[in-house]
Amino acid sequence: MQLRKLPFLIFCLALAFQLQGQRSLNWENLAPLPPSAGQEVQLGLGGAFSGTHQGALILAGGCNFREKMPNYGGAKSWYRDVYVMADPESASPAWVTNPAWELPHNLAYGVSVITSNGIWLIGGNNADSICRGVHRLSWNPSQSEIKLEKMPALPVPLAYAAGAQAGNWIFVAGGHDQQPGGKPTQHFFGINLSREGQSDFGWEELPAWPGPERYLASAAGQGDGYTQRFYLFGGGRFEENGEFQPLSDAYSYHPGERTWKKLAPCYPKNRTEKASLGAPTVAVGSGHILLIGGSDGILTKMMVSMNLQIASIEAKLDTTQNPADRARLDSSRSFIRASLNRLIDNFNGFNPEVLSYHTYADVWTLTDLLETPAQVVTNAVKIGDQIFIPSGEVSVGRRTPGTLRGTFKQLKSFGWLDYSVIGIYLLVLVGMGLFFSGREKTSDDYFRAGGRIPWWAAGLSIVGTGLSAISYMAVPAKTFSTDWLFLMLSMSQALVAPVVVYLFIPFFRRLNITSAYEYLEKRFNLATRLVGSLSFILFQFGRIGIVLFLPSLALSVVTGMDIYFCILAMGVLSIIYTVIGGVEAVIWTDVLQVVVLLGGAIICLFTIFNGIEGGFSGMMDIAATDHKFKTFDFSMDLSTPTFWVVLAGGFATHLIMYSSDQTMVQRYLTTKDEKSAKRSVWTFISVAIPSVFLFFLLGTALYVFYKVHPGSMLSTLENNDAILPWFISSQLPRGMAGLLVAGIFAASMSSLDSSMNSISAVITTDFYKIIWKDSTDKKVLRFAKWITLLVGLIGMGFALVMAGFEIKSLWDEFNKVLGLFAGGLAGLFLLGMLTQRANGAGALTGFAASALIQFLVSSFTDLHFLLYALSGIVSCVAIGYLASLIFRAKAKDISGMTIHNQPKT
């Protein structure tokens, strides 16, 4: 294997990176809509339905003023045509239409909601009436066909309403329900998409927002899981005297709790109050909503006021007989009409500002200015990394046939200094592998370091293996977006440590084993050992993919690095120093990486304190005001992260990790004796507990920083797991940013190398040495190195496959996997150590039953996923013990295998 040449290849590839610009929206006009039926020129459409399905941009219905403008007596023309832009992300996309593509009737001013199965077209109106009908429009690209499905109708007719999808729900708010002379309403309806096909699939009337009725409001859905919300912004209403009142208030609705919350009004804090009507709205990233243009309502307010004056004059004319008075009134009416026409004719267009709402911090910022006339009473449609605004109104009565496309440019990349720092750091890791390669003479050296590891280094290696990129990025991301309710999940490590020290380590050390699963054969039988080994191997392959994919995804988002290159770079380098240096190289590189990891977090904290008025105390005050330090919820609800759920789930999760996970057990076996192994665990706890507070505080500090400096937040982060890398790349000086990004690489690689070496140890010890019992130690060592290489390559393959899938929160996914598939494994060890009557048949029955129970619990109950680990352990022990009483087994010598017969020291 020419592995020693690979570092130079990686270094050369790193030097090939190019600098890239800061990411921002770049707007351009696309080809116009083709003419509607009966028109030679397309005038554009206002109030049309629009959205995306199967990658196509679709527009349907709408209206315009075909003959003359409304202030000169023009009447609206209504349409039912459907237009499709099949390749909107291409360089020069074009609209097409087909006479066969039609709505059931002319329609405009309804609600468009994009779902995975098509675009919902909800309500709307035409010249005759307001509609309560609902259809789902879908696009078949292979057949170039439009399909319309009838969906449950609204409880009442609605037009000019706002709507969006949030989670499994579609919500519709406000709008007019009468024509003519209709006024805005406070209707709020929802339909649960998960009930489609069931008898109760239909709209529900829900509690309305705590504010006035409205129409022409904007809406969006944003968030993931429990944080999902429906957001309602601005709009307008009519006062008792008929005067128009533009609105700037904002609200969010929690589907699970069915409660509303009032938000900051729709304008930045340093700006004068400004309303928002008919603004195209779109959710971007994991926590932002863009309000693009819109009307401030001032012109509408003036127009309504003038029309009220005209109506008042005409009412007087109906009752006035005096010629002089009639002449005076008629002159006043003409003057107001002329003034109204001049006001409309001279109107320069709607508000060109693009506002960004930060959902976590409840803050608005001005992020962009449109260089073309703002398009209102239309929709903003996000397709990939681009935003489309098809047609719409650009002035009173005037439409545009054009489509506006906004593209997010590439981010500003790292400088050469940053890449050089990362390259040097990664080469140092490979150099450490080369250094220790000369000491790996036997398989015992390769897997247990010959007992040469100091207790403190083994302890720091446990820290590095346990923290990983999941903690380095996902824990701050969790406290950035929520609070400290998950603190006890990490703190429960302190409760597990005594169990590991006084129960598990004595067994592992006194049996002089290499693989933790050797114990299962000595206590039960070979089948139980092999089942335990296979469970560990399968889980670790998935874990390798996660710890490679997570940082690669984040780094590709914030630095412009190719995600596949990141995966390959970390994977290849980890393979090199792990294959040639064995567990000794793994542990000492872990020590270095823990120092970089924790040091980087501390540097970030002090940088944040320096950027907030009042420093640390100012940060704490803002966080406390926003209830970011909420830690305890003592309710007895087992479906939410209450104190009891987090504590019990955390204890079980960490018991699995530190008792049955070969990556951890192997650390206990690399020290010179049992006493040193125990000291390594206490060292781990003394570092891990302060680290927990460090990472939780870092996430909260990031929340405060971006609340104080909302314009610094990248609105297009699709996953909050990238919030820390974004801060590092955008706020820290060059060179320092490179070093801390190297810390992210370190966090991933410290877990990756441990998994590779541990899987190799398990395969070699539990399979190879059993099948080929007469192999020399030299052959065993050679086999172990080849297996390490193969494991690394397969793990990289998993990560590359994961790069093609959307995973909203890897923190949650990782804990779900751990609870479902590893709980039974820890249960096997506890069953063996704590009981004397358990046997192999009973243990395997308990393990299989535990897996089945975990599937049933996760599929058919509301139990919080943190409790999966606990239920897995308990079910395995309980069922395994009962099954052992049923299945009689031959007598087996289990001396020293349980706490009841372990020799005293």
Side-chain angles (χ1 to χ4, degrees), residues 613-627 629 704:
E613 185 177 353
F616 174 76
S617 61
M619 185 276 294
M620 294 293 286
D621 289 343
I622 296 173
T625 300
D626 291 354
H627 308 289
F629 292 118
V704 174

Side-chain angles (χ1 to χ4, degrees), residues 684-699:
F684 153 68
I685 289 298
S686 67
V687 176
I689 297 303
S691 300
V692 168
F693 285 99
L694 174 64
F695 288 116
F696 270 69
L697 185 63
L698 178 56

Side-chain angles (χ1 to χ4, degrees), residues 341-355:
N341 289 337
R342 284 195 300 271
L343 180 68
I344 294 173
D345 293 342
N346 295 328
F347 182 63
N348 292 323
F350 298 108
N351 176 24
E353 297 178 341
V354 179
L355 299 181

